[in-house]
Amino acid sequence: MPRTEAQLLDGSLDVVCGLASTKDRKEKFDVIETPIYTTHLILAARKEETADVKGFDDIRKLGADAIVLTVTQTVQAELAAAQPGLKVDSAAKDTSQNLQKLVAGRGRFILHNDFALIDEIRRDNLGDKVKLLPAQLTTEGRFFIVSKKAPAGVKDKLAAALDKLSKTSELAKIFLPYKPK
């Protein structure tokens, strides 16, 4: 992600699809405000986990061993770090690395979006070792992010196309096959 954002900044990359709209990104780039899809922030745990977690307060109550794993430099890492009293490990470079840490007992939960987490659990064949907890902590849109150095008209054409696709429900139809199950 840091390389992608650097390329957007220097203009060597015009557009990125599927990123969260953060305050920092809104300051540095143009964000097309029509979400292309939404994700839910969820938790994963080892299959034997018995804690009934509905939110961050429940995690805090579990004590010092309730380490929450996040991927470095992500929206989830920022959100977890902003939670007072939450013990967070944001050293992993990707979700697969966090899944390995979780299975090895080096964290109790993974905080990530449903779309990426479900996909990575499948790819890593960890469905027999990892489960998703039912709580949806937040819902966030994913957007097209446009470099301020992109050619004139790119942002406006893309925004108009997305608006049209959204209003006709075509955007939701396009995403449907990729929606986490």
Side-chain angles (χ1 to χ4, degrees):
M1 193 52 57
R3 183 180 329 138
T4 299
E5 289 190 358
Q7 290 174 315
L8 283 168
L9 272 175
D10 71 21
S12 60
L13 184 62
D14 292 332
V15 179
V16 175
C17 175
L19 299 184
S21 176
T22 64
K23 181 182 175 196
D24 185 52
R25 287 183 182 143
K26 286 181 178 181
E27 290 171 1
K28 293 192 267 186
F29 314 114
D30 292 324
V31 177
I32 298 182
E33 292 300 324
T34 301
I36 52 173
Y37 62 94
T38 57
T39 61
H40 305 285
L41 196 60
I42 61 172
L43 294 163
R46 288 181 295 283
K47 279 279 189 185
E48 64 271 11
E49 178 63 57
T50 59
D52 182 23
V53 177
K54 293 182 178 61
F56 293 116
D57 285 338
D58 295 327
I59 296 171
R60 280 188 277 273
K61 290 175 188 173
L62 295 172
D65 71 326
I67 298 170
V68 177
L69 304 169
T70 65
V71 175
T72 189
Q73 297 181 339
T74 60
V75 172
Q76 295 84 15
E78 290 175 19
L79 178 66
Q83 294 295 318
L86 205 62
K87 190 165 182 182
V88 180
D89 174 348
S90 295
K93 294 185 191 290
D94 58 42
T95 308
S96 182
Q97 197 174 46
N98 269 341
L99 284 166
Q100 295 306 317
K101 288 168 76 171
L102 181 71
V103 169
R106 294 175 43 213
R108 190 156 175 188
F109 305 102
I110 295 176
L111 177 66
H112 207 63
N113 74 68
D114 56 350
F115 190 82
L117 194 51
I118 291 167
D119 184 54
E120 199 62 50
I121 290 168
R122 277 192 202 123
R123 275 194 277 163
D124 290 359
N125 294 312
L126 292 172
D128 61 331
K129 296 179 181 174
V130 176
K131 67 180 180 180
L132 301 176
L133 301 184
Q136 290 183 356
L137 303 173
T138 65
T139 299
E140 57 186 27
R142 296 300 173 143
F143 302 87
F144 274 93
I145 309 292
V146 182
S147 170
K148 293 195 183 280
K149 295 183 178 181
V154 166
K155 176 188 169 198
D156 293 338
K157 287 179 185 177
L158 191 51
L162 285 170
D163 185 55
K164 181 178 178 182
L165 288 170
S166 179
K167 286 179 179 173
T168 62
S169 300
E170 285 301 309
L171 199 53
K173 288 178 189 173
I174 292 168
F175 177 67
L176 196 58
Y178 306 98
K179 189 173 181 165
K181 296 171 179 90

